[in-house]
Amino acid sequence: MVVALALGVVVVAIVLLSIDRIPTEVSSLAIVVLLVLSGLLTPREALSGFSSETAIFIFALLALTQGLSTTGVMQLVGRRLLFLARFSSQAFIVMLLVAVCAFSSVASNTAVTAAFLPVATASVARTKVSSRRLLMPLAFASMLGGTIFLFGTSTNLVVSAAMEQWGLERLGFTELTPVGLPLAIIGVGVTLVLMRWLLPAREGEQAAGALPQREYVTEAVLTPGSRLIGKELRYVTEGLGVPVRGVVREGVMRPPDPRELLEAREHLIIAGSLDDILRVKDLRSIGLSADLRIPEDPRQSHTLTEVSVPPTSALAGRSLRDIRFAERYGLVAMAIHRHPTLQGSHHHLNLMGSLAGGDALKNISLSVGDLLLVGGPERRVQELARDEELTVLGSVEYQRPRYRRALLAVLIFVGTVLVAGLRITSPAIAGLAGMLAMIATGCVDTRTAFRVDWRVVILIGALLALGQAVEKSGAGEVLARAVLPLAGVIGPRGVLCVIMIVTVLLSIPMSNQAAALIMLPVGIHAAMDMGLDPRAFAVGICLAASCSFLTPLEPSAALVYGPGRYRFVDFLRVGTPLTVLMLVLLTFAVPLVWPFTRS
């Protein structure tokens, strides 16, 4: 009766976690409540997962990843890689995927994908490779990178914690590396080959690149002491990926000459997407002219927002200088977007033509429908929302990276991982200490540090409780006995392969962590019943959970789904053979590193 009840709760959990309309955190808490109401666990046992060392360390690790993001560590690496695109597109792609794998081996693969996505998108024009063929390998590389080290993904950590509950030793920091590293190398290489064979470029895709975006026009200037002074313009346009449309000297805009040497305080006209403008704000040797006029005040919270000029606005026909925009609103207009149709039908409304004629951006008359990217204190933006002359469209998610603390953030992160990996102290304490060090040294502010995905932490707490209920009720042993007859037909490797296949299939409707924790008791009991070492089965389940590439439902894949203009079937085409290959490799490699029989 108890076993049937536990299996029923497992089925309900699978259904709840598979329904997209129900938030993950709601499903997780419902599972905890159900475990208590069914009598499978006491309230203390059901809630113990939330206070576990694993849940706390995962929270700290997510906060530490925020510190790497806010200091621009990944962006700096990505920008250095982007410089390779001018020499060899293939070398750039390979190094980009290697960097993604390396970061994902110790940090959240979702955060790594998000950090490198702008770099990959910006490289499309220079590498002559469509975003469709670049972004899926980027996502898959981040997922495969999580198999290299223990801290690469939360799935590894929760499986390691569950193994300890079964009397097995926790996974070591580098224990997965002998299989995870070759798996990542082969997986990335095969993905690139499969993309060529199974995902042909669509007609007109090469020229289109990424999705069309609004083009903003702005002015930039070399900052004092810029390392770009004396270098050729192509170092900026090709190396840094900045879309320069003109160089202003002596009040006249000239077409950009790639071999032209840059001078101190050089003025550049930039026309690009909003992402391009934000990327220029990230650079240290070049900055937006308007941006440099914003006074530094750490006590005030600054923000960016897009505003439009409505048809009833009295500002239409007047320039930013005429209306004294900065003094009037307490904000700075950084860039202007004007609809291409409007510029084409009226010569005097052409932004680039006006700039070529000697006008500065602040002297160009505004037109109805113009969009302005403005920045300044948040309270000023709130006041602007009440102004009838401009319409606030919405804020732009942006935070200037704290580059000066990038090295410090890396040292804190590496130190935390080493202390936790070597078990010098509790990983949870090491993670919390590292997070506090990030905050204390200014690598990340408190609000950003705690802006982690709490759904992951809640889900892990609930799943640890579910795994405890499965073990306590004996349901895992019952399921294992159902698999046991296969051993006489397909042998131990075949049983391991079947269990890993089920893990992969379960990870499609639910999370990787949930699939691994549900199958872990089955795998361990199956190994024990066959008289084999259960560690091989536990590790196989752990690695298989990170090798499901069949759908774009995994967070990293979901991030590239839109920008890459993929269809659902695209992931099936490339992901199915890749998943099958990974399972075959695991079936043969896992028993070699973790033998079925103890010596």
Side-chain angles (χ1 to χ4, degrees):
M1 179 64 184
V2 177
V3 171
L5 189 59
L7 292 177
V9 172
V10 170
V11 172
V12 171
I14 293 174
V15 172
L16 287 176
L17 294 172
S18 303
I19 300 175
D20 293 336
R21 295 183 180 180
I22 303 178
T24 303
E25 59 273 29
V26 174
S27 299
S28 303
L29 295 176
I31 293 169
V32 172
V33 172
L34 193 58
L35 290 172
V36 176
L37 294 180
S38 63
L40 292 171
L41 296 179
T42 65
R44 181 184 294 273
E45 290 172 334
L47 297 174
S48 62
F50 297 107
S51 60
S52 67
E53 181 181 80
T54 302
I56 294 172
F57 179 67
I58 288 174
F59 155 72
L61 197 61
L62 291 173
L64 286 165
T65 304
Q66 292 277 40
L68 293 180
S69 178
T70 56
T71 53
V73 173
M74 299 175 199
Q75 292 90 330
L76 284 171
V77 173
R79 195 173 303 134
R80 295 292 184 271
L81 292 175
L82 193 59
F83 187 72
L84 292 175
R86 62 182 293 187
F87 301 109
S88 169
S89 60
Q90 292 302 318
F92 164 75
I93 293 172
V94 170
M95 293 306 298
L96 174 67
L97 299 184
V98 168
V100 169
C101 263
F103 276 106
S104 297
S105 66
V106 291
S108 164
N109 57 6
T110 306
V112 172
T113 303
F116 279 93
L117 186 58
V119 177
T121 304
S123 71
V124 169
R126 282 172 293 285
T127 59
K128 306 300 181 183
V129 176
S130 69
S131 58
R132 188 163 176 254
R133 287 192 173 175
L134 180 60
L135 299 187
M136 189 185 292
L138 175 72
F140 286 177
S142 74
M143 296 164 64
L144 289 165
T147 65
I148 298 175
F149 294 128
L150 173 63
F151 300 157
T153 174
S154 56
T155 304
N156 300 345
L157 292 168
V158 296
V159 169
S160 178
M163 288 170 62
E164 189 176 45
Q165 294 177 354
W166 284 87
L168 303 176
E169 289 186 13
R170 282 177 174 260
L171 293 172
F173 178 67
T174 61
E175 185 173 351
L176 299 176
T177 308
V179 172
L181 182 58
L183 206 70
I185 295 173
I186 295 172
V188 170
V190 170
T191 300
L192 292 175
V193 174
L194 291 175
M195 294 297 291
R196 284 183 173 274
W197 287 355
L198 303 178
L199 212 61
R202 298 179 187 138
E203 185 177 352
E205 181 184 42
Q206 189 69 30
L211 290 172
Q213 296 180 327
R214 291 193 295 262
E215 183 180 77
Y216 275 91
V217 177
T218 188
E219 292 176 308
V221 63
L222 299 191
T223 55
S226 171
R227 61 185 177 85
L228 300 176
I229 297 174
K231 293 191 176 182
E232 295 181 345
L233 179 61
R234 64 181 178 182
Y235 184 89
V236 177
T237 56
E238 300 175 13
L240 300 179
V242 176
V244 177
R245 297 282 290 275
V247 179
V248 179
R249 284 186 181 165
E250 298 178 357
V252 178
M253 188 187 81
R254 299 187 299 182
D257 182 355
R259 297 185 178 181
E260 186 172 6
L261 298 181
L262 297 172
E263 300 177 357
R265 297 188 177 277
E266 190 82 86
H267 277 260
L268 308 174
I269 303 300
I270 296 173
S273 67
L274 183 58
D275 289 339
D276 290 324
I277 304 302
L278 296 182
R279 192 151 43 82
V280 173
K281 285 175 64 63
D282 287 347
L283 299 174
R284 289 176 291 180
S285 295
I286 183 175
L288 303 183
S289 300
D291 201 11
L292 299 177
R293 297 198 297 269
I294 299 180
E296 293 287 341
D297 188 352
R299 296 171 299 177
Q300 290 190 349
S301 179
H302 286 69
T303 187
L304 296 179
T305 190
E306 287 181 301
V307 300
S308 67
V309 180
T312 57
S313 176
L315 304 184
R318 304 173 66 188
S319 68
L320 295 172
R321 170 177 282 181
D322 291 339
I323 61 180
R324 301 172 65 88
F325 186 89
E327 292 82 357
R328 179 173 179 172
Y329 296 107
L331 300 167
V332 174
M334 299 181 179
I336 299 178
H337 163 76
R338 181 166 294 167
H339 198 281
T341 303
L342 193 62
Q343 296 190 68
S345 58
H346 301 279
H347 179 71
H348 68 282
L349 295 179
N350 186 281
L351 289 179
M352 298 306 298
S354 299
L355 292 170
D359 286 334
L361 204 62
K362 61 185 176 182
N363 294 330
I364 295 177
S365 298
L366 298 176
S367 176
V368 172
D370 281 355
L371 298 183
L372 302 177
L373 178 65
V374 302
E378 284 186 357
R379 63 180 183 84
R380 289 289 194 173
V381 174
Q382 294 170 356
E383 294 172 3
L384 183 64
R386 297 190 290 269
D387 192 281
E388 296 181 354
E389 307 299 338
L390 292 170
T391 302
V392 176
L393 300 180
S395 61
V396 177
E397 188 68 27
Y398 174 77
Q399 184 180 42
R400 183 183 293 276
R402 307 177 181 189
Y403 289 120
R404 293 182 179 178
R405 294 180 173 85
L407 179 59
L408 183 59
V410 171
L411 293 176
I412 293 174
F413 188 91
V414 172
T416 302
V417 169
L418 288 176
V419 171
L422 297 174
R423 305 291 294 187
I424 296 175
T425 184
S426 162
I429 298 301
L432 292 176
M435 182 188 74
L436 292 175
M438 285 271 196
I439 296 173
T441 55
C443 294
V444 63
D445 57 67
T446 307
R447 183 172 61 177
T448 304
F450 283 88
R451 197 183 297 164
V452 301
D453 191 351
W454 288 98
R455 296 174 300 175
V456 174
V457 181
I458 295 173
L459 173 65
I460 288 169
L463 292 177
L464 289 174
L466 181 62
Q468 186 178 355
V470 171
E471 164 58 13
K472 185 178 179 181
S473 66
E477 187 173 359
V478 172
L479 291 174
R481 287 175 181 170
V483 179
L484 199 58
L486 293 174
V489 180
I490 57 179
R493 286 181 188 270
V495 174
L496 173 62
C497 184
V498 169
I499 291 175
M500 291 193 297
I501 290 173
V502 176
T503 303
V504 168
L505 294 177
L506 281 178
S507 67
I508 296 174
M510 55 202 303
S511 70
N512 299 342
Q513 302 96 326
L517 286 183
I518 286 176
M519 292 304 298
L520 189 63
V522 180
I524 291 178
H525 276 297
M528 289 179 173
D529 291 342
M530 290 185 291
L532 306 177
D533 187 352
R535 193 170 193 82
F537 283 74
V539 172
I541 291 169
C542 177
L543 292 172
S546 297
C547 292
S548 178
F549 309 99
L550 302 172
T551 70
L553 302 179
E554 208 278 338
S556 289
L559 283 174
V560 304
Y561 188 72
R565 296 190 293 175
Y566 296 112
R567 301 189 183 102
F568 196 90
V569 70
D570 291 337
F571 280 84
L572 284 177
R573 286 178 181 171
V574 179
T576 301
L578 180 62
T579 302
V580 171
L581 175 62
M582 295 296 102
L583 289 174
V584 171
L585 292 176
L586 287 174
T587 301
F588 287 95
V590 168
L592 291 177
V593 181
W594 298 272
F596 284 139
T597 56
R598 297 185 181 95
S599 56

